[in-house]
Amino acid sequence: MAIMKLFAGSSNPKLAQKISEKLTLPLGQIDSIRFADGEARVRIIDNDSEEKVAVIQSLSNPADSYLMELALIGDALKSQDVEKMIAVIPYLGYSRQDRSHRPGEAISARVVAKLIQAAGFTKVITVDLHSESVAGFYHHIPVVNLTALSLCASILPKGEDIVIVSPDAGGMKRAQKFAQEVDCPLVFVEKKRDLAKIHTTKVVRVVGDVKEKIAVIIDDTITSGGTLVQATFLLIQHGAKKVIAFATHADFVSATRTILSESPLERIYVTDTIAIKKEWQFSKLTVLSVTDLIAQAIK
Ligand code: R5P
């Protein structure tokens, strides 16, 4: 009997396979189907009465489907008397909705936390949460929030004058911590969001000196690419020699590839917390792997 068994939802099988190989732990079989009306059905095919399992599932697009699948896998395992069930959620979708921005808005990250705990998981391992406050919604189980920024440290150009840039106020803490670690100055771009229109942001100013420097923008997530590209134009206007970007989660939509590849960004680094469709990749994009980071945490 294995010490622990891994299971994978449908969102990122490639990463799950890599983690399984790294840990030399078997990937259990799941029969996961979706009926014509959109409902999901999940059945654990082999679990051999394991006491500990880890279920790997990113809550990427379509987030609702993958969340439901994760909850159903949790419930199915729980019914087989598994004692310790880790939800390994490399990308924890809905985390950007961590507070009510306007009266009457649901705190979606809190609802997701309730669902994951209710499904029977006893621990969550995730990577680069949009904000630490999301972990606070998990009242009954621990949350391990790993960071992929160590991967970013390895791609910084050597012997160059570098500044670390936060593309908005929300990312300041993350960028500040990283700037300290790599001993580089910190720069901040002020971004304003129009809450009435989705995916609409405007960058208004740069705080800090970027003249003749290589600007490295650090962010948690790229969706449309708008935040990065607007910040890049502003940094170039302020004299940056070159702009590169690192974001942990490539939560791309169909237009992201064009927006980023046609932008003045020199290079964009992301990780494989989310499986990126082949047709959404482009030459300036490098995908780094979080396999070792997650495997180490499971261990
Ligand atoms: C926002 O607060 C996040 O940290 C990202 O900056 C944002 O989600 C990126 O979205 P987009 O690529 O659509 O601008």
Side-chain angles (χ1 to χ4, degrees), residues 96 130 167-168 170-171 174 191 193 199-201 218-230 251 253 256 260:
R96 283 174 282 189
H130 175 66
D168 53 29
R174 177 184 309 109
K191 175 173 98 175
R193 196 175 276 283
H199 299 301
T200 309
T201 56
I218 305 288
D219 209 352
D220 56 329
T221 310
I222 301 172
T223 300
S224 67
T227 299
L228 280 188
V229 173
Q230 287 190 42
D251 178 34
V253 293
T256 314
L260 293 180

PDB file of all heavy atoms in Angstrom, residues 96 130 167-168 170-171 174 191 193 199-201 218-230 251 253 256 260, ligand 1:
ATOM      1  N   ARG A  96      -9.517  36.826  -6.151  1.00  0.00           N
ATOM      2  CA  ARG A  96      -9.517  38.280  -6.338  1.00  0.00           C
ATOM      3  C   ARG A  96     -10.779  38.916  -5.769  1.00  0.00           C
ATOM      4  O   ARG A  96     -10.820  40.106  -5.515  1.00  0.00           O
ATOM      5  CB  ARG A  96      -9.359  38.623  -7.836  1.00  0.00           C
ATOM      6  CG  ARG A  96      -7.923  38.468  -8.296  1.00  0.00           C
ATOM      7  CD  ARG A  96      -7.771  38.656  -9.783  1.00  0.00           C
ATOM      8  NE  ARG A  96      -8.192  37.474 -10.517  1.00  0.00           N
ATOM      9  CZ  ARG A  96      -8.013  37.290 -11.820  1.00  0.00           C
ATOM     10  NH1 ARG A  96      -7.429  38.237 -12.527  1.00  0.00           N
ATOM     11  NH2 ARG A  96      -8.396  36.189 -12.417  1.00  0.00           N
ATOM     12  N   HIS A 130      -3.946  35.674  -4.264  1.00  0.00           N
ATOM     13  CA  HIS A 130      -4.052  37.099  -4.604  1.00  0.00           C
ATOM     14  C   HIS A 130      -3.830  37.963  -3.358  1.00  0.00           C
ATOM     15  O   HIS A 130      -3.155  38.980  -3.407  1.00  0.00           O
ATOM     16  CB  HIS A 130      -5.425  37.376  -5.215  1.00  0.00           C
ATOM     17  CG  HIS A 130      -5.662  38.816  -5.472  1.00  0.00           C
ATOM     18  ND1 HIS A 130      -4.937  39.532  -6.406  1.00  0.00           N
ATOM     19  CD2 HIS A 130      -6.512  39.702  -4.894  1.00  0.00           C
ATOM     20  CE1 HIS A 130      -5.348  40.788  -6.401  1.00  0.00           C
ATOM     21  NE2 HIS A 130      -6.303  40.912  -5.497  1.00  0.00           N
ATOM     22  N   PRO A 167       2.393  46.401 -10.203  1.00  0.00           N
ATOM     23  CA  PRO A 167       1.523  47.098 -11.167  1.00  0.00           C
ATOM     24  C   PRO A 167       0.252  47.677 -10.544  1.00  0.00           C
ATOM     25  O   PRO A 167      -0.539  48.288 -11.239  1.00  0.00           O
ATOM     26  CB  PRO A 167       1.170  46.000 -12.165  1.00  0.00           C
ATOM     27  CG  PRO A 167       1.203  44.749 -11.362  1.00  0.00           C
ATOM     28  CD  PRO A 167       2.241  44.936 -10.296  1.00  0.00           C
ATOM     29  N   ASP A 168       0.068  47.448  -9.243  1.00  0.00           N
ATOM     30  CA  ASP A 168      -1.069  48.062  -8.547  1.00  0.00           C
ATOM     31  C   ASP A 168      -0.849  48.018  -7.042  1.00  0.00           C
ATOM     32  O   ASP A 168       0.091  47.381  -6.551  1.00  0.00           O
ATOM     33  CB  ASP A 168      -2.410  47.391  -8.926  1.00  0.00           C
ATOM     34  CG  ASP A 168      -2.392  45.883  -8.733  1.00  0.00           C
ATOM     35  OD1 ASP A 168      -1.655  45.408  -7.850  1.00  0.00           O
ATOM     36  OD2 ASP A 168      -3.122  45.187  -9.458  1.00  0.00           O
ATOM     37  N   GLY A 170      -2.607  46.616  -4.713  1.00  0.00           N
ATOM     38  CA  GLY A 170      -2.848  45.296  -4.122  1.00  0.00           C
ATOM     39  C   GLY A 170      -1.616  44.404  -4.140  1.00  0.00           C
ATOM     40  O   GLY A 170      -1.458  43.532  -3.291  1.00  0.00           O
ATOM     41  N   GLY A 171      -0.736  44.606  -5.104  1.00  0.00           N
ATOM     42  CA  GLY A 171       0.443  43.741  -5.234  1.00  0.00           C
ATOM     43  C   GLY A 171       1.680  44.274  -4.532  1.00  0.00           C
ATOM     44  O   GLY A 171       2.763  43.676  -4.630  1.00  0.00           O
ATOM     45  N   ARG A 174       3.623  41.951  -1.977  1.00  0.00           N
ATOM     46  CA  ARG A 174       4.337  40.875  -2.678  1.00  0.00           C
ATOM     47  C   ARG A 174       5.607  41.418  -3.329  1.00  0.00           C
ATOM     48  O   ARG A 174       6.705  40.881  -3.155  1.00  0.00           O
ATOM     49  CB  ARG A 174       3.407  40.290  -3.748  1.00  0.00           C
ATOM     50  CG  ARG A 174       4.023  39.213  -4.599  1.00  0.00           C
ATOM     51  CD  ARG A 174       3.080  38.737  -5.695  1.00  0.00           C
ATOM     52  NE  ARG A 174       1.761  38.366  -5.206  1.00  0.00           N
ATOM     53  CZ  ARG A 174       0.648  39.052  -5.424  1.00  0.00           C
ATOM     54  NH1 ARG A 174       0.676  40.125  -6.187  1.00  0.00           N
ATOM     55  NH2 ARG A 174      -0.503  38.679  -4.927  1.00  0.00           N
ATOM     56  N   LYS A 191      -2.882  52.060 -10.252  1.00  0.00           N
ATOM     57  CA  LYS A 191      -3.901  51.597 -11.217  1.00  0.00           C
ATOM     58  C   LYS A 191      -5.291  51.910 -10.677  1.00  0.00           C
ATOM     59  O   LYS A 191      -5.539  51.759  -9.485  1.00  0.00           O
ATOM     60  CB  LYS A 191      -3.733  50.077 -11.395  1.00  0.00           C
ATOM     61  CG  LYS A 191      -4.763  49.404 -12.261  1.00  0.00           C
ATOM     62  CD  LYS A 191      -4.412  47.938 -12.508  1.00  0.00           C
ATOM     63  CE  LYS A 191      -5.134  46.992 -11.593  1.00  0.00           C
ATOM     64  NZ  LYS A 191      -4.887  45.573 -11.894  1.00  0.00           N
ATOM     65  N   ARG A 193      -9.427  51.058 -11.183  1.00  0.00           N
ATOM     66  CA  ARG A 193     -10.344  50.104 -11.810  1.00  0.00           C
ATOM     67  C   ARG A 193     -11.743  50.708 -11.884  1.00  0.00           C
ATOM     68  O   ARG A 193     -12.200  51.347 -10.928  1.00  0.00           O
ATOM     69  CB  ARG A 193     -10.366  48.823 -10.966  1.00  0.00           C
ATOM     70  CG  ARG A 193     -10.941  47.627 -11.668  1.00  0.00           C
ATOM     71  CD  ARG A 193     -10.810  46.381 -10.819  1.00  0.00           C
ATOM     72  NE  ARG A 193      -9.517  45.729 -10.937  1.00  0.00           N
ATOM     73  CZ  ARG A 193      -9.163  44.972 -11.967  1.00  0.00           C
ATOM     74  NH1 ARG A 193      -9.981  44.786 -12.970  1.00  0.00           N
ATOM     75  NH2 ARG A 193      -7.977  44.399 -11.990  1.00  0.00           N
ATOM     76  N   HIS A 199     -13.024  44.162 -16.469  1.00  0.00           N
ATOM     77  CA  HIS A 199     -11.731  44.190 -17.176  1.00  0.00           C
ATOM     78  C   HIS A 199     -11.342  45.594 -17.639  1.00  0.00           C
ATOM     79  O   HIS A 199     -10.684  45.752 -18.661  1.00  0.00           O
ATOM     80  CB  HIS A 199     -11.731  43.245 -18.386  1.00  0.00           C
ATOM     81  CG  HIS A 199     -11.952  41.799 -18.007  1.00  0.00           C
ATOM     82  ND1 HIS A 199     -11.115  41.127 -17.159  1.00  0.00           N
ATOM     83  CD2 HIS A 199     -12.920  40.915 -18.368  1.00  0.00           C
ATOM     84  CE1 HIS A 199     -11.557  39.882 -17.018  1.00  0.00           C
ATOM     85  NE2 HIS A 199     -12.650  39.742 -17.720  1.00  0.00           N
ATOM     86  N   THR A 200     -11.792  46.627 -16.924  1.00  0.00           N
ATOM     87  CA  THR A 200     -11.427  47.984 -17.342  1.00  0.00           C
ATOM     88  C   THR A 200     -10.567  48.637 -16.271  1.00  0.00           C
ATOM     89  O   THR A 200     -11.019  48.877 -15.159  1.00  0.00           O
ATOM     90  CB  THR A 200     -12.704  48.834 -17.591  1.00  0.00           C
ATOM     91  OG1 THR A 200     -13.533  48.088 -18.461  1.00  0.00           O
ATOM     92  CG2 THR A 200     -12.367  50.170 -18.227  1.00  0.00           C
ATOM     93  N   THR A 201      -9.316  48.883 -16.614  1.00  0.00           N
ATOM     94  CA  THR A 201      -8.404  49.532 -15.674  1.00  0.00           C
ATOM     95  C   THR A 201      -7.667  50.657 -16.376  1.00  0.00           C
ATOM     96  O   THR A 201      -7.600  50.708 -17.610  1.00  0.00           O
ATOM     97  CB  THR A 201      -7.355  48.539 -15.135  1.00  0.00           C
ATOM     98  OG1 THR A 201      -6.664  47.971 -16.240  1.00  0.00           O
ATOM     99  CG2 THR A 201      -7.958  47.450 -14.285  1.00  0.00           C
ATOM    100  N   ILE A 218       6.033  42.427 -11.215  1.00  0.00           N
ATOM    101  CA  ILE A 218       5.663  41.208 -10.495  1.00  0.00           C
ATOM    102  C   ILE A 218       4.158  41.239 -10.249  1.00  0.00           C
ATOM    103  O   ILE A 218       3.654  42.204  -9.678  1.00  0.00           O
ATOM    104  CB  ILE A 218       6.348  41.184  -9.089  1.00  0.00           C
ATOM    105  CG1 ILE A 218       7.857  41.341  -9.195  1.00  0.00           C
ATOM    106  CG2 ILE A 218       5.961  39.977  -8.264  1.00  0.00           C
ATOM    107  CD1 ILE A 218       8.537  40.132  -9.729  1.00  0.00           C
ATOM    108  N   ASP A 219       3.457  40.208 -10.669  1.00  0.00           N
ATOM    109  CA  ASP A 219       2.011  40.163 -10.399  1.00  0.00           C
ATOM    110  C   ASP A 219       1.612  38.735 -10.059  1.00  0.00           C
ATOM    111  O   ASP A 219       2.366  37.795 -10.325  1.00  0.00           O
ATOM    112  CB  ASP A 219       1.225  40.675 -11.620  1.00  0.00           C
ATOM    113  CG  ASP A 219      -0.095  41.317 -11.227  1.00  0.00           C
ATOM    114  OD1 ASP A 219      -0.477  41.233 -10.049  1.00  0.00           O
ATOM    115  OD2 ASP A 219      -0.755  41.909 -12.102  1.00  0.00           O
ATOM    116  N   ASP A 220       0.435  38.574  -9.466  1.00  0.00           N
ATOM    117  CA  ASP A 220      -0.016  37.212  -9.158  1.00  0.00           C
ATOM    118  C   ASP A 220      -0.647  36.569 -10.382  1.00  0.00           C
ATOM    119  O   ASP A 220      -0.393  35.408 -10.677  1.00  0.00           O
ATOM    120  CB  ASP A 220      -0.993  37.201  -7.958  1.00  0.00           C
ATOM    121  CG  ASP A 220      -2.198  38.095  -8.168  1.00  0.00           C
ATOM    122  OD1 ASP A 220      -2.060  39.122  -8.864  1.00  0.00           O
ATOM    123  OD2 ASP A 220      -3.283  37.776  -7.661  1.00  0.00           O
ATOM    124  N   THR A 221      -1.453  37.342 -11.117  1.00  0.00           N
ATOM    125  CA  THR A 221      -2.263  36.750 -12.185  1.00  0.00           C
ATOM    126  C   THR A 221      -2.291  37.631 -13.431  1.00  0.00           C
ATOM    127  O   THR A 221      -2.312  38.853 -13.323  1.00  0.00           O
ATOM    128  CB  THR A 221      -3.723  36.586 -11.669  1.00  0.00           C
ATOM    129  OG1 THR A 221      -3.687  35.929 -10.405  1.00  0.00           O
ATOM    130  CG2 THR A 221      -4.581  35.791 -12.617  1.00  0.00           C
ATOM    131  N   ILE A 222      -2.292  36.979 -14.581  1.00  0.00           N
ATOM    132  CA  ILE A 222      -2.566  37.704 -15.833  1.00  0.00           C
ATOM    133  C   ILE A 222      -3.880  37.145 -16.365  1.00  0.00           C
ATOM    134  O   ILE A 222      -4.015  35.926 -16.531  1.00  0.00           O
ATOM    135  CB  ILE A 222      -1.482  37.457 -16.906  1.00  0.00           C
ATOM    136  CG1 ILE A 222      -0.100  37.873 -16.417  1.00  0.00           C
ATOM    137  CG2 ILE A 222      -1.846  38.189 -18.202  1.00  0.00           C
ATOM    138  CD1 ILE A 222       1.038  37.472 -17.371  1.00  0.00           C
ATOM    139  N   THR A 223      -4.830  38.022 -16.622  1.00  0.00           N
ATOM    140  CA  THR A 223      -6.061  37.547 -17.275  1.00  0.00           C
ATOM    141  C   THR A 223      -6.104  38.139 -18.690  1.00  0.00           C
ATOM    142  O   THR A 223      -5.652  37.522 -19.632  1.00  0.00           O
ATOM    143  CB  THR A 223      -7.311  37.871 -16.441  1.00  0.00           C
ATOM    144  OG1 THR A 223      -7.168  37.231 -15.168  1.00  0.00           O
ATOM    145  CG2 THR A 223      -8.579  37.338 -17.087  1.00  0.00           C
ATOM    146  N   SER A 224      -6.547  39.390 -18.804  1.00  0.00           N
ATOM    147  CA  SER A 224      -6.585  39.984 -20.154  1.00  0.00           C
ATOM    148  C   SER A 224      -5.205  40.431 -20.613  1.00  0.00           C
ATOM    149  O   SER A 224      -4.937  40.538 -21.804  1.00  0.00           O
ATOM    150  CB  SER A 224      -7.526  41.186 -20.147  1.00  0.00           C
ATOM    151  OG  SER A 224      -6.980  42.222 -19.333  1.00  0.00           O
ATOM    152  N   GLY A 225      -4.323  40.722 -19.659  1.00  0.00           N
ATOM    153  CA  GLY A 225      -3.006  41.271 -19.987  1.00  0.00           C
ATOM    154  C   GLY A 225      -2.998  42.790 -19.894  1.00  0.00           C
ATOM    155  O   GLY A 225      -1.947  43.432 -19.987  1.00  0.00           O
ATOM    156  N   GLY A 226      -4.190  43.379 -19.707  1.00  0.00           N
ATOM    157  CA  GLY A 226      -4.321  44.846 -19.681  1.00  0.00           C
ATOM    158  C   GLY A 226      -3.458  45.511 -18.619  1.00  0.00           C
ATOM    159  O   GLY A 226      -2.783  46.513 -18.891  1.00  0.00           O
ATOM    160  N   THR A 227      -3.464  44.962 -17.415  1.00  0.00           N
ATOM    161  CA  THR A 227      -2.688  45.568 -16.316  1.00  0.00           C
ATOM    162  C   THR A 227      -1.214  45.643 -16.690  1.00  0.00           C
ATOM    163  O   THR A 227      -0.574  46.692 -16.555  1.00  0.00           O
ATOM    164  CB  THR A 227      -2.864  44.715 -15.031  1.00  0.00           C
ATOM    165  OG1 THR A 227      -4.242  44.709 -14.698  1.00  0.00           O
ATOM    166  CG2 THR A 227      -2.047  45.254 -13.860  1.00  0.00           C
ATOM    167  N   LEU A 228      -0.669  44.538 -17.191  1.00  0.00           N
ATOM    168  CA  LEU A 228       0.767  44.494 -17.525  1.00  0.00           C
ATOM    169  C   LEU A 228       1.113  45.441 -18.652  1.00  0.00           C
ATOM    170  O   LEU A 228       2.105  46.175 -18.586  1.00  0.00           O
ATOM    171  CB  LEU A 228       1.151  43.073 -17.976  1.00  0.00           C
ATOM    172  CG  LEU A 228       1.383  42.014 -16.920  1.00  0.00           C
ATOM    173  CD1 LEU A 228       1.929  40.760 -17.573  1.00  0.00           C
ATOM    174  CD2 LEU A 228       2.372  42.521 -15.875  1.00  0.00           C
ATOM    175  N   VAL A 229       0.292  45.417 -19.694  1.00  0.00           N
ATOM    176  CA  VAL A 229       0.630  46.207 -20.883  1.00  0.00           C
ATOM    177  C   VAL A 229       0.521  47.710 -20.604  1.00  0.00           C
ATOM    178  O   VAL A 229       1.398  48.487 -20.987  1.00  0.00           O
ATOM    179  CB  VAL A 229      -0.242  45.759 -22.079  1.00  0.00           C
ATOM    180  CG1 VAL A 229      -0.045  46.671 -23.275  1.00  0.00           C
ATOM    181  CG2 VAL A 229       0.121  44.326 -22.454  1.00  0.00           C
ATOM    182  N   GLN A 230      -0.516  48.095 -19.875  1.00  0.00           N
ATOM    183  CA  GLN A 230      -0.632  49.527 -19.536  1.00  0.00           C
ATOM    184  C   GLN A 230       0.536  49.976 -18.679  1.00  0.00           C
ATOM    185  O   GLN A 230       1.106  51.045 -18.885  1.00  0.00           O
ATOM    186  CB  GLN A 230      -1.937  49.771 -18.788  1.00  0.00           C
ATOM    187  CG  GLN A 230      -3.151  49.701 -19.674  1.00  0.00           C
ATOM    188  CD  GLN A 230      -4.389  50.187 -18.928  1.00  0.00           C
ATOM    189  OE1 GLN A 230      -4.336  51.170 -18.219  1.00  0.00           O
ATOM    190  NE2 GLN A 230      -5.481  49.493 -19.084  1.00  0.00           N
ATOM    191  N   ASP A 251      -3.929  33.039 -16.198  1.00  0.00           N
ATOM    192  CA  ASP A 251      -5.379  32.851 -16.305  1.00  0.00           C
ATOM    193  C   ASP A 251      -5.865  33.493 -17.618  1.00  0.00           C
ATOM    194  O   ASP A 251      -6.729  34.366 -17.611  1.00  0.00           O
ATOM    195  CB  ASP A 251      -6.020  33.517 -15.064  1.00  0.00           C
ATOM    196  CG  ASP A 251      -7.530  33.458 -15.049  1.00  0.00           C
ATOM    197  OD1 ASP A 251      -8.087  32.465 -15.533  1.00  0.00           O
ATOM    198  OD2 ASP A 251      -8.159  34.426 -14.551  1.00  0.00           O
ATOM    199  N   VAL A 253      -7.264  34.648 -21.303  1.00  0.00           N
ATOM    200  CA  VAL A 253      -8.486  34.561 -22.109  1.00  0.00           C
ATOM    201  C   VAL A 253      -8.036  34.650 -23.569  1.00  0.00           C
ATOM    202  O   VAL A 253      -6.843  34.845 -23.842  1.00  0.00           O
ATOM    203  CB  VAL A 253      -9.481  35.694 -21.733  1.00  0.00           C
ATOM    204  CG1 VAL A 253     -10.005  35.486 -20.317  1.00  0.00           C
ATOM    205  CG2 VAL A 253      -8.842  37.082 -21.844  1.00  0.00           C
ATOM    206  N   THR A 256      -5.618  37.498 -24.742  1.00  0.00           N
ATOM    207  CA  THR A 256      -4.382  37.781 -23.989  1.00  0.00           C
ATOM    208  C   THR A 256      -3.129  37.600 -24.846  1.00  0.00           C
ATOM    209  O   THR A 256      -2.199  38.412 -24.796  1.00  0.00           O
ATOM    210  CB  THR A 256      -4.303  36.869 -22.739  1.00  0.00           C
ATOM    211  OG1 THR A 256      -5.558  36.882 -22.098  1.00  0.00           O
ATOM    212  CG2 THR A 256      -3.224  37.327 -21.783  1.00  0.00           C
ATOM    213  N   LEU A 260      -0.441  40.640 -25.278  1.00  0.00           N
ATOM    214  CA  LEU A 260       0.914  40.545 -24.715  1.00  0.00           C
ATOM    215  C   LEU A 260       1.977  40.440 -25.811  1.00  0.00           C
ATOM    216  O   LEU A 260       3.026  41.079 -25.735  1.00  0.00           O
ATOM    217  CB  LEU A 260       1.036  39.338 -23.775  1.00  0.00           C
ATOM    218  CG  LEU A 260       0.231  39.394 -22.486  1.00  0.00           C
ATOM    219  CD1 LEU A 260       0.457  38.128 -21.676  1.00  0.00           C
ATOM    220  CD2 LEU A 260       0.586  40.616 -21.638  1.00  0.00           C
TER     221      LEU A 260
HETATM  222  C1  R5P B   1      -5.425  42.375  -9.790  1.00  0.00           C
HETATM  223  O1  R5P B   1      -5.585  42.907  -8.721  1.00  0.00           O
HETATM  224  C2  R5P B   1      -4.461  41.276 -10.070  1.00  0.00           C
HETATM  225  O2  R5P B   1      -3.395  41.270  -9.179  1.00  0.00           O
HETATM  226  C3  R5P B   1      -3.960  41.335 -11.507  1.00  0.00           C
HETATM  227  O3  R5P B   1      -3.196  42.505 -11.682  1.00  0.00           O
HETATM  228  C4  R5P B   1      -5.124  41.366 -12.487  1.00  0.00           C
HETATM  229  O4  R5P B   1      -6.037  40.383 -12.166  1.00  0.00           O
HETATM  230  C5  R5P B   1      -4.646  41.170 -13.890  1.00  0.00           C
HETATM  231  O5  R5P B   1      -5.749  41.177 -14.740  1.00  0.00           O
HETATM  232  P1  R5P B   1      -5.630  41.656 -16.224  1.00  0.00           P
HETATM  233  O6  R5P B   1      -4.528  40.868 -16.875  1.00  0.00           O
HETATM  234  O7  R5P B   1      -6.977  41.370 -16.819  1.00  0.00           O
HETATM  235  O8  R5P B   1      -5.352  43.126 -16.219  1.00  0.00           O
END
